[in-house]
Amino acid sequence: MNLVREYTREIITFIGIGLMCFVYTDFRELVRQQADTAAHTVEVLRSMDSRLQKLENTPTR
């Protein structure tokens, strides 16, 4: 118990560094997923735009 009292700052620092690494990796994965989703959304919107342009350019009967 005396050891914990003596090294409280160091223990808290190491716990904080570990927590910071965990949050960083979790946030990095979140950003990667959002980038993939945004890229997929852009592709869907481009295909919809090209289909709409085709429909607008076809003559009506």
Side-chain angles (χ1 to χ4, degrees):
M1 199 64 178
N2 192 20
L3 188 68
V4 173
R5 287 186 192 142
E6 189 174 333
Y7 293 106
T8 302
R9 285 185 185 171
E10 289 82 3
I11 293 170
I12 291 174
T13 300
F14 283 120
I15 290 172
I17 289 172
L19 184 62
M20 183 182 68
C21 291
F22 173 74
V23 169
Y24 173 75
T25 56
D26 190 44
F27 184 72
R28 201 169 92 184
E29 183 64 29
L30 174 71
V31 169
R32 184 178 297 137
Q33 287 176 354
Q34 286 180 341
D36 291 343
T37 302
H40 179 70
T41 303
V42 166
E43 289 301 317
V44 169
L45 290 175
R46 281 184 185 160
S47 69
M48 287 175 62
D49 186 45
S50 67
R51 283 189 259 156
L52 283 173
Q53 284 180 357
K54 275 185 176 180
L55 285 173
E56 288 174 350
N57 290 332
T58 55
T60 57
R61 294 182 187 188

Coordinates of all heavy atoms in Angstrom, one line a residue:
M1 N 0.8 -1.2 0.0 CA 0.0 0.0 0.0 C 0.9 1.2 0.0 O 0.5 2.2 -0.6 CB -0.9 0.0 1.2 CG -2.1 0.8 1.1 SD -3.1 0.3 -0.2 CE -4.4 1.4 -0.1
N2 N 2.0 1.2 0.7 CA 2.9 2.3 0.7 C 3.5 2.6 -0.6 O 3.7 3.7 -1.0 CB 4.0 2.0 1.8 CG 4.8 3.3 2.1 OD1 4.3 4.4 1.8 ND2 6.0 3.1 2.6
L3 N 3.7 1.5 -1.4 CA 4.2 1.7 -2.8 C 3.3 2.4 -3.6 O 3.7 3.3 -4.4 CB 4.5 0.3 -3.3 CG 5.2 0.2 -4.7 CD1 6.7 0.7 -4.5 CD2 5.2 -1.2 -5.2
V4 N 2.0 2.2 -3.5 CA 1.0 2.9 -4.3 C 0.9 4.4 -3.9 O 0.9 5.2 -4.8 CB -0.4 2.2 -4.1 CG1 -1.5 3.1 -4.7 CG2 -0.5 0.8 -4.6
R5 N 1.0 4.7 -2.7 CA 1.0 6.1 -2.2 C 2.3 6.8 -2.7 O 2.2 7.9 -3.1 CB 1.0 6.1 -0.7 CG -0.3 5.8 -0.1 CD -0.3 6.0 1.4 NE -1.5 5.4 1.9 CZ -1.6 4.8 3.1 NH1 -0.5 4.7 3.8 NH2 -2.7 4.3 3.5
E6 N 3.4 6.1 -2.8 CA 4.6 6.7 -3.2 C 4.7 7.0 -4.7 O 5.2 8.0 -5.1 CB 5.8 5.8 -2.8 CG 7.2 6.4 -2.9 CD 8.3 5.5 -2.4 OE1 8.0 4.7 -1.5 OE2 9.4 5.6 -2.9
Y7 N 4.1 6.1 -5.5 CA 4.2 6.2 -6.9 C 2.8 6.5 -7.6 O 2.5 6.1 -8.7 CB 4.7 4.9 -7.5 CG 6.2 4.7 -7.2 CD1 6.6 3.7 -6.2 CD2 7.2 5.5 -7.7 CE1 7.9 3.5 -5.9 CE2 8.5 5.3 -7.4 CZ 8.9 4.3 -6.5 OH 10.2 4.1 -6.2
T8 N 2.0 7.3 -6.9 CA 0.7 7.6 -7.4 C 0.7 8.3 -8.7 O 0.0 8.0 -9.7 CB -0.1 8.4 -6.4 OG1 -0.2 7.7 -5.2 CG2 -1.5 8.7 -6.9
R9 N 1.6 9.3 -8.8 CA 1.7 10.1 -10.1 C 2.1 9.2 -11.2 O 1.6 9.3 -12.3 CB 2.7 11.2 -9.9 CG 2.3 12.4 -9.1 CD 3.3 13.4 -9.2 NE 2.9 14.5 -8.3 CZ 3.7 15.5 -8.0 NH1 5.0 15.6 -8.5 NH2 3.3 16.5 -7.2
E10 N 3.1 8.3 -11.0 CA 3.6 7.5 -12.1 C 2.5 6.5 -12.5 O 2.3 6.3 -13.7 CB 4.8 6.7 -11.7 CG 6.1 7.6 -11.6 CD 6.1 8.4 -10.2 OE1 5.3 8.2 -9.4 OE2 7.1 9.2 -10.1
I11 N 1.8 5.9 -11.6 CA 0.7 5.0 -11.9 C -0.4 5.7 -12.7 O -0.8 5.2 -13.7 CB 0.1 4.4 -10.6 CG1 1.2 3.5 -9.9 CG2 -1.1 3.6 -10.9 CD1 0.8 3.0 -8.6
I12 N -0.8 6.9 -12.3 CA -1.8 7.6 -13.0 C -1.3 8.0 -14.4 O -2.1 7.9 -15.4 CB -2.3 8.8 -12.2 CG1 -3.1 8.4 -10.9 CG2 -3.2 9.8 -13.0 CD1 -3.4 9.5 -10.0
T13 N -0.1 8.3 -14.5 CA 0.5 8.7 -15.8 C 0.4 7.5 -16.8 O 0.0 7.7 -17.9 CB 1.9 9.2 -15.6 OG1 1.9 10.3 -14.8 CG2 2.5 9.6 -17.0
F14 N 0.8 6.3 -16.3 CA 0.8 5.2 -17.2 C -0.6 4.7 -17.5 O -0.9 4.3 -18.7 CB 1.6 4.0 -16.5 CG 3.1 4.1 -16.6 CD1 3.8 4.2 -15.5 CD2 3.7 4.2 -17.9 CE1 5.2 4.3 -15.6 CE2 5.1 4.4 -18.0 CZ 5.8 4.4 -16.8
I15 N -1.5 4.9 -16.6 CA -2.9 4.6 -16.9 C -3.4 5.5 -17.9 O -4.1 5.2 -18.9 CB -3.8 4.6 -15.6 CG1 -3.4 3.4 -14.7 CG2 -5.3 4.6 -15.9 CD1 -4.1 3.4 -13.4
G16 N -3.1 6.8 -17.8 CA -3.5 7.8 -18.7 C -3.0 7.6 -20.1 O -3.7 7.8 -21.1
I17 N -1.7 7.2 -20.2 CA -1.1 6.9 -21.5 C -1.8 5.7 -22.1 O -2.0 5.7 -23.4 CB 0.4 6.7 -21.3 CG1 1.1 8.0 -21.0 CG2 1.0 6.1 -22.6 CD1 2.6 7.9 -20.6
G18 N -2.0 4.7 -21.4 CA -2.7 3.5 -21.9 C -4.1 3.9 -22.4 O -4.5 3.4 -23.5
L19 N -4.8 4.7 -21.6 CA -6.2 5.1 -22.0 C -6.1 6.0 -23.3 O -7.0 5.8 -24.2 CB -6.8 5.9 -20.9 CG -8.3 6.3 -21.1 CD1 -9.2 5.1 -21.3 CD2 -8.8 7.1 -19.9
M20 N -5.1 6.8 -23.4 CA -4.9 7.7 -24.6 C -4.7 6.8 -25.8 O -5.2 7.1 -26.9 CB -3.8 8.6 -24.3 CG -3.6 9.6 -25.5 SD -2.2 10.7 -25.2 CE -0.9 9.6 -25.3
C21 N -3.9 5.8 -25.7 CA -3.6 4.9 -26.8 C -4.9 4.2 -27.3 O -5.1 4.0 -28.5 CB -2.5 3.9 -26.5 SG -0.9 4.7 -26.3
F22 N -5.6 3.7 -26.3 CA -6.9 3.0 -26.6 C -7.9 3.9 -27.3 O -8.4 3.6 -28.4 CB -7.6 2.5 -25.3 CG -8.9 1.9 -25.6 CD1 -9.1 0.7 -26.2 CD2 -10.0 2.6 -25.2 CE1 -10.3 0.2 -26.4 CE2 -11.3 2.1 -25.4 CZ -11.4 0.9 -26.0
V23 N -8.0 5.2 -26.9 CA -8.9 6.1 -27.5 C -8.4 6.5 -28.9 O -9.2 6.6 -29.8 CB -9.1 7.4 -26.6 CG1 -9.8 8.5 -27.4 CG2 -9.9 7.0 -25.3
Y24 N -7.1 6.6 -29.0 CA -6.5 7.0 -30.3 C -6.8 5.9 -31.4 O -7.3 6.2 -32.5 CB -5.0 7.2 -30.2 CG -4.4 7.4 -31.5 CD1 -4.5 8.6 -32.2 CD2 -3.6 6.4 -32.1 CE1 -3.9 8.8 -33.5 CE2 -3.0 6.6 -33.3 CZ -3.1 7.8 -34.0 OH -2.5 7.9 -35.2
T25 N -6.6 4.6 -31.0 CA -6.8 3.5 -32.0 C -8.3 3.4 -32.3 O -8.7 3.1 -33.4 CB -6.3 2.2 -31.5 OG1 -6.8 1.9 -30.2 CG2 -4.8 2.3 -31.3
D26 N -9.2 3.6 -31.3 CA -10.6 3.5 -31.5 C -11.1 4.6 -32.4 O -11.9 4.4 -33.4 CB -11.3 3.5 -30.2 CG -12.8 3.2 -30.3 OD1 -13.1 2.2 -31.1 OD2 -13.6 3.9 -29.7
F27 N -10.6 5.8 -32.2 CA -10.9 7.0 -33.0 C -10.4 6.8 -34.4 O -11.1 7.1 -35.4 CB -10.4 8.3 -32.4 CG -10.8 9.5 -33.2 CD1 -12.1 10.0 -33.1 CD2 -9.9 10.2 -33.9 CE1 -12.5 11.1 -33.8 CE2 -10.2 11.3 -34.6 CZ -11.5 11.8 -34.5
R28 N -9.2 6.2 -34.6 CA -8.6 6.0 -35.9 C -9.5 5.0 -36.7 O -9.8 5.2 -37.9 CB -7.2 5.5 -35.8 CG -6.4 5.7 -37.0 CD -5.0 5.3 -36.7 NE -4.7 3.9 -37.0 CZ -3.6 3.3 -36.8 NH1 -2.6 3.9 -36.2 NH2 -3.5 2.0 -37.1
E29 N -10.0 4.0 -36.1 CA -10.9 3.0 -36.7 C -12.2 3.7 -37.1 O -12.7 3.4 -38.2 CB -11.1 1.8 -35.8 CG -12.0 0.8 -36.4 CD -11.3 0.1 -37.6 OE1 -10.1 0.0 -37.7 OE2 -12.1 -0.4 -38.5
L30 N -12.7 4.5 -36.3 CA -14.0 5.3 -36.6 C -13.8 6.1 -37.8 O -14.6 6.2 -38.7 CB -14.4 6.1 -35.4 CG -15.6 7.0 -35.6 CD1 -16.9 6.2 -35.7 CD2 -15.7 8.0 -34.5
V31 N -12.7 6.9 -37.9 CA -12.4 7.7 -39.0 C -12.3 6.9 -40.3 O -12.8 7.3 -41.3 CB -11.2 8.6 -38.7 CG1 -10.7 9.3 -40.0 CG2 -11.5 9.6 -37.6
R32 N -11.6 5.8 -40.2 CA -11.5 4.9 -41.4 C -12.8 4.4 -41.9 O -13.1 4.4 -43.1 CB -10.6 3.7 -41.0 CG -10.3 2.8 -42.2 CD -9.4 1.7 -41.9 NE -8.1 2.2 -41.4 CZ -7.4 1.7 -40.4 NH1 -7.9 0.8 -39.7 NH2 -6.2 2.2 -40.1
Q33 N -13.7 4.0 -40.9 CA -15.0 3.6 -41.3 C -15.8 4.7 -42.0 O -16.6 4.5 -42.9 CB -15.8 3.0 -40.1 CG -15.3 1.7 -39.7 CD -16.0 1.2 -38.4 OE1 -16.8 1.9 -37.8 NE2 -15.7 0.0 -38.0
Q34 N -15.7 5.9 -41.4 CA -16.5 7.0 -42.0 C -15.9 7.4 -43.4 O -16.7 7.7 -44.2 CB -16.4 8.2 -41.1 CG -17.2 8.1 -39.8 CD -17.1 9.3 -38.9 OE1 -16.1 10.1 -39.0 NE2 -18.1 9.5 -38.0
A35 N -14.7 7.3 -43.6 CA -14.1 7.5 -44.9 C -14.6 6.5 -45.9 O -14.9 6.9 -47.1 CB -12.6 7.5 -44.8
D36 N -14.6 5.2 -45.5 CA -15.1 4.2 -46.4 C -16.6 4.4 -46.8 O -17.0 4.3 -47.9 CB -15.0 2.8 -45.8 CG -13.5 2.4 -45.7 OD1 -12.7 3.0 -46.4 OD2 -13.3 1.4 -44.9
T37 N -17.4 4.8 -45.8 CA -18.8 5.1 -46.0 C -19.0 6.3 -46.9 O -19.8 6.3 -47.8 CB -19.5 5.3 -44.6 OG1 -19.3 4.2 -43.8 CG2 -21.0 5.6 -44.8
A38 N -18.2 7.3 -46.7 CA -18.3 8.5 -47.5 C -17.9 8.2 -49.0 O -18.6 8.7 -49.9 CB -17.4 9.6 -47.0
A39 N -16.9 7.4 -49.2 CA -16.5 7.0 -50.5 C -17.6 6.2 -51.2 O -17.9 6.4 -52.4 CB -15.2 6.2 -50.5
H40 N -18.2 5.3 -50.5 CA -19.3 4.5 -51.0 C -20.5 5.4 -51.4 O -21.1 5.2 -52.4 CB -19.8 3.4 -50.0 CG -20.9 2.6 -50.5 ND1 -20.8 1.7 -51.5 CD2 -22.2 2.6 -50.1 CE1 -22.0 1.1 -51.7 NE2 -22.8 1.6 -50.9
T41 N -20.8 6.4 -50.5 CA -21.9 7.3 -50.8 C -21.6 8.1 -52.0 O -22.5 8.3 -52.9 CB -22.1 8.2 -49.6 OG1 -22.4 7.5 -48.4 CG2 -23.2 9.2 -49.8
V42 N -20.4 8.5 -52.2 CA -20.0 9.3 -53.4 C -20.3 8.5 -54.7 O -20.8 8.9 -55.7 CB -18.6 9.8 -53.3 CG1 -18.1 10.3 -54.7 CG2 -18.5 10.9 -52.3
E43 N -19.9 7.2 -54.6 CA -20.1 6.3 -55.8 C -21.5 6.1 -56.1 O -22.0 6.1 -57.3 CB -19.4 5.0 -55.6 CG -17.9 5.0 -55.6 CD -17.4 5.6 -56.9 OE1 -17.9 5.1 -58.0 OE2 -16.5 6.4 -56.9
V44 N -22.4 6.0 -55.1 CA -23.8 5.8 -55.3 C -24.4 7.1 -55.9 O -25.2 7.0 -56.8 CB -24.5 5.4 -54.0 CG1 -26.0 5.5 -54.1 CG2 -24.1 4.0 -53.5
L45 N -24.0 8.2 -55.4 CA -24.5 9.5 -55.9 C -24.1 9.7 -57.3 O -24.9 10.2 -58.2 CB -24.1 10.6 -55.0 CG -24.8 10.7 -53.6 CD1 -24.2 11.8 -52.8 CD2 -26.3 10.9 -53.8
R46 N -22.9 9.3 -57.7 CA -22.4 9.5 -59.1 C -23.2 8.6 -60.0 O -23.6 9.0 -61.1 CB -20.9 9.1 -59.2 CG -20.0 10.2 -58.7 CD -18.6 9.8 -58.9 NE -17.7 10.9 -58.4 CZ -16.4 10.7 -58.0 NH1 -15.9 9.5 -58.2 NH2 -15.7 11.6 -57.5
S47 N -23.5 7.3 -59.6 CA -24.2 6.5 -60.5 C -25.7 7.0 -60.6 O -26.2 6.9 -61.7 CB -24.2 5.0 -59.9 OG -24.9 4.9 -58.7
M48 N -26.3 7.5 -59.5 CA -27.6 8.1 -59.6 C -27.6 9.3 -60.5 O -28.5 9.5 -61.3 CB -28.1 8.5 -58.2 CG -28.5 7.3 -57.4 SD -28.9 7.8 -55.7 CE -30.3 8.8 -56.0
D49 N -26.6 10.1 -60.5 CA -26.5 11.3 -61.3 C -26.4 10.9 -62.8 O -27.1 11.5 -63.6 CB -25.3 12.1 -60.9 CG -25.2 13.4 -61.7 OD1 -26.3 14.1 -61.8 OD2 -24.1 13.8 -62.1
S50 N -25.6 9.9 -63.1 CA -25.4 9.5 -64.5 C -26.8 8.9 -65.0 O -27.1 9.1 -66.1 CB -24.3 8.5 -64.6 OG -24.6 7.3 -64.0
R51 N -27.5 8.1 -64.2 CA -28.8 7.5 -64.6 C -29.8 8.6 -64.8 O -30.5 8.6 -65.8 CB -29.3 6.6 -63.5 CG -28.6 5.2 -63.6 CD -29.2 4.2 -62.7 NE -28.4 4.1 -61.5 CZ -28.9 3.7 -60.3 NH1 -30.1 3.4 -60.2 NH2 -28.1 3.7 -59.3
L52 N -29.8 9.7 -64.0 CA -30.7 10.8 -64.1 C -30.4 11.5 -65.4 O -31.3 12.0 -66.1 CB -30.7 11.7 -62.9 CG -31.4 11.2 -61.7 CD1 -31.2 12.2 -60.5 CD2 -32.9 11.1 -62.0
Q53 N -29.1 11.7 -65.7 CA -28.8 12.4 -66.9 C -29.2 11.6 -68.2 O -29.7 12.2 -69.2 CB -27.3 12.7 -67.0 CG -26.8 13.8 -66.1 CD -25.3 14.0 -66.1 OE1 -24.6 13.3 -66.8 NE2 -24.8 15.0 -65.4
K54 N -29.1 10.3 -68.1 CA -29.5 9.5 -69.2 C -31.0 9.6 -69.4 O -31.6 9.7 -70.5 CB -29.2 8.0 -69.0 CG -27.9 7.6 -69.4 CD -27.7 6.1 -69.2 CE -26.4 5.6 -69.7 NZ -26.3 4.1 -69.5
L55 N -31.8 9.6 -68.3 CA -33.2 9.7 -68.4 C -33.7 11.1 -68.9 O -34.6 11.2 -69.7 CB -33.9 9.5 -67.0 CG -33.9 8.1 -66.5 CD1 -34.4 8.0 -65.1 CD2 -34.8 7.2 -67.4
E56 N -33.0 12.1 -68.5 CA -33.3 13.5 -69.0 C -33.0 13.6 -70.5 O -33.6 14.4 -71.1 CB -32.6 14.5 -68.2 CG -33.1 14.6 -66.8 CD -32.2 15.6 -65.9 OE1 -31.1 16.0 -66.4 OE2 -32.6 15.9 -64.8
N57 N -32.0 12.9 -71.0 CA -31.6 13.1 -72.4 C -32.4 12.2 -73.3 O -32.3 12.3 -74.5 CB -30.1 12.8 -72.6 CG -29.3 13.9 -71.9 OD1 -29.8 15.1 -71.9 ND2 -28.1 13.6 -71.5
T58 N -33.2 11.2 -72.8 CA -33.9 10.3 -73.7 C -35.2 11.1 -74.1 O -35.9 11.7 -73.3 CB -34.3 9.0 -73.0 OG1 -35.0 9.3 -71.8 CG2 -33.1 8.2 -72.7
P59 N -35.5 11.0 -75.4 CA -36.7 11.7 -75.9 C -38.0 11.0 -75.4 O -38.1 9.8 -75.3 CB -36.6 11.6 -77.4 CG -35.7 10.5 -77.7 CD -34.8 10.4 -76.5
T60 N -39.0 11.8 -75.1 CA -40.3 11.2 -74.7 C -41.2 10.9 -75.9 O -41.1 11.5 -76.9 CB -41.1 12.1 -73.7 OG1 -41.3 13.4 -74.4 CG2 -40.3 12.4 -72.5
R61 N -42.0 9.9 -75.8 CA -42.9 9.5 -76.9 C -44.2 10.2 -76.9 O -44.8 10.6 -76.1 CB -43.1 8.0 -76.9 CG -41.8 7.3 -77.2 CD -42.0 5.9 -77.2 NE -40.7 5.2 -77.3 CZ -40.6 3.9 -77.5 NH1 -41.6 3.2 -77.7 NH2 -39.4 3.4 -77.6

